[in-house]
Amino acid sequence: MTILDGKKVSNQIKEEITEEVQKMKDRGEKVPHLAAIIVGNDGASLTYVNSKVKACERVGFESTMVRMPGTTSELELLKKIKELNENDDIDGFIVQLPLPKQIDTQKVLLTVDPDKDVDGFHPTNFGKMALDMTSFIPATPFGILELLERYNVETEGKHTVVIGRSHIVGRPMSILMGRKGFPGNSTVTLTHSHTKNITQITSQADIIITALGNPGFLKAEMVKDDVVIIDVGITRVEDETRERGYRIVGDVDFENVSKKASFITPVPGGVGPMTIAMLLKNTLLAREMHRQKSAEV
């Protein structure tokens, strides 16, 4: 059994990006600039955005955090997004989700310029991804592809079962694993909360990608020997034996499933670190795209 070590691979990617940024500096070019908008004081969101800012510093990017109060109106947020769209200094930006109830998330995501949408959530980017065109792939699915590629996990002709149909992970993964090329060329089954006989389906899978947020959902009796497991789930579970009073667990009963798996991602330290690394990679791609556009004008 091989651990798909997202922490290790994400560090490698950050090193590669740092080298690219240094080359840009040496050529006297503008370095990539990533901005993040955060509305309100959600603790998990703040932690996540802060870690993005630190990651930018590490690779030599410029970064901007735009903090707005939880009482911000939809109109005020849309105005701020328009400002970032029109600011040529910013190559890519994200709007941290979830947003307060008074704001329509779909309207917000539609307002982001697709050329700066480094989260890959805009319908233009999602549509291009579905059509195998060059686009920003959402950071978590992009990270999963990168892990499969760097560990040379065979995907061609394999049966991939995706558990969960979210727009952020499940649905894009079902498209990406079925596309031509590597990683891809697999036969994909997309399962969700209304799927019947799920054990019958998962027990036939060569690759299982689970993004449910249901701790320990996938049990050893639900998988076959030598299965590849990608666990995207991340849930805080109370644990009084830990100093923090909780531990982070995934969708997979790791202890027992890992005994049958050929490859498996740990939680934490698997898919999570890859998400920020691929957000940086998307921002680097955005910078290069904007540089080429400027050169054509």
Side-chain angles (χ1 to χ4, degrees):
M1 188 268 294
T2 303
I3 294 278
L4 297 170
D5 189 340
K7 204 169 182 184
K8 184 174 123 187
V9 174
S10 70
N11 282 328
Q12 287 170 356
I13 292 164
K14 285 173 190 169
E15 290 301 323
E16 290 161 14
I17 293 172
T18 304
E19 285 174 25
E20 284 299 315
V21 173
Q22 190 54 54
K23 285 176 192 169
M24 287 176 165
K25 287 178 180 172
D26 293 345
R27 292 193 296 264
E29 291 174 14
K30 175 191 171 308
V31 300
H33 187 164
L34 174 68
I37 300 176
I38 183 162
V39 184
N41 290 308
D42 180 71
S45 293
L46 278 168
T47 303
Y48 193 45
V49 171
N50 280 326
S51 59
K52 287 171 183 172
V53 171
K54 280 181 190 161
C56 284
E57 282 172 17
R58 175 178 165 179
V59 298
F61 284 11
E62 287 183 27
S63 68
T64 300
M65 196 202 301
V66 180
R67 290 193 63 173
M68 303 181 80
T71 53
T72 298
S73 71
E74 189 178 279
L75 196 64
E76 285 168 323
L77 178 56
L78 294 178
K79 195 177 165 191
K80 181 55 71 178
I81 290 169
K82 195 166 178 287
E83 273 177 36
L84 296 185
N85 283 341
E86 292 168 0
N87 184 343
D88 290 340
D89 189 48
I90 287 169
D91 297 295
F93 69 93
I94 61 151
V95 181
Q96 185 62 39
L97 304 178
L99 291 166
K101 286 174 187 167
Q102 72 271 19
I103 297 171
D104 180 343
T105 301
Q106 286 300 98
K107 196 184 278 188
V108 165
L109 296 180
L110 279 168
T111 308
V112 176
D113 179 349
D115 286 348
K116 293 190 176 189
D117 167 42
V118 287
D119 255 339
F121 293 163
H122 194 284
T124 297
N125 283 319
F126 199 96
K128 282 182 173 178
M129 177 196 73
L131 293 168
D132 276 345
M133 295 165 73
T134 302
S135 70
F136 294 121
I137 298 173
T140 300
F142 197 6
I144 293 168
L145 294 179
E146 196 77 15
L147 270 180
L148 293 171
E149 189 173 337
R150 295 203 182 211
Y151 278 91
N152 210 21
V153 177
E154 187 59 61
T155 60
E156 188 175 331
K158 302 294 184 184
H159 181 198
T160 297
V161 171
V162 178
I163 307 175
R165 55 182 166 181
S166 75
H167 296 167
I168 295 170
V169 182
R171 203 164 298 179
M173 278 318 304
S174 69
I175 294 166
L176 293 162
M177 291 303 286
R179 69 180 182 169
K180 289 178 181 175
F182 174 70
N185 281 327
S186 70
T187 302
V188 183
T189 304
L190 178 61
T191 66
H192 44 77
S193 56
H194 292 268
T195 302
K196 291 177 180 172
N197 306 323
I198 195 160
T199 299
Q200 201 178 332
I201 298 167
T202 56
S203 59
Q204 294 169 11
D206 301 304
I207 301 167
I208 297 174
I209 300 166
T210 174
L212 272 180
N214 185 344
F217 171 81
L218 194 72
K219 305 279 192 283
E221 59 269 22
M222 296 170 73
V223 306
K224 68 178 185 180
D225 287 339
D226 294 328
V227 67
V228 175
I229 300 284
I230 306 289
D231 189 352
V232 189
I234 184 157
T235 310
R236 284 185 181 188
V237 173
E238 282 184 26
D239 185 345
E240 288 173 10
T241 66
R242 302 285 173 104
E243 197 179 315
R244 289 175 170 176
Y246 66 86
R247 59 194 164 89
I248 302 287
V249 296
D251 289 347
V252 178
D253 173 8
F254 184 89
E255 191 182 336
N256 296 304
V257 172
S258 61
K259 291 168 187 167
K260 294 176 87 171
S262 54
F263 294 89
I264 191 167
T265 58
V267 176
V271 175
M274 294 298 294
T275 300
I276 288 180
M278 302 322 282
L279 181 71
L280 296 176
K281 196 157 186 175
N282 272 345
T283 307
L284 186 67
L285 293 170
R287 174 72 222 119
E288 181 55 26
M289 189 171 73
H290 297 148
R291 188 188 66 77
Q292 285 175 3
K293 271 190 179 175
S294 300
E296 286 165 11
V297 172

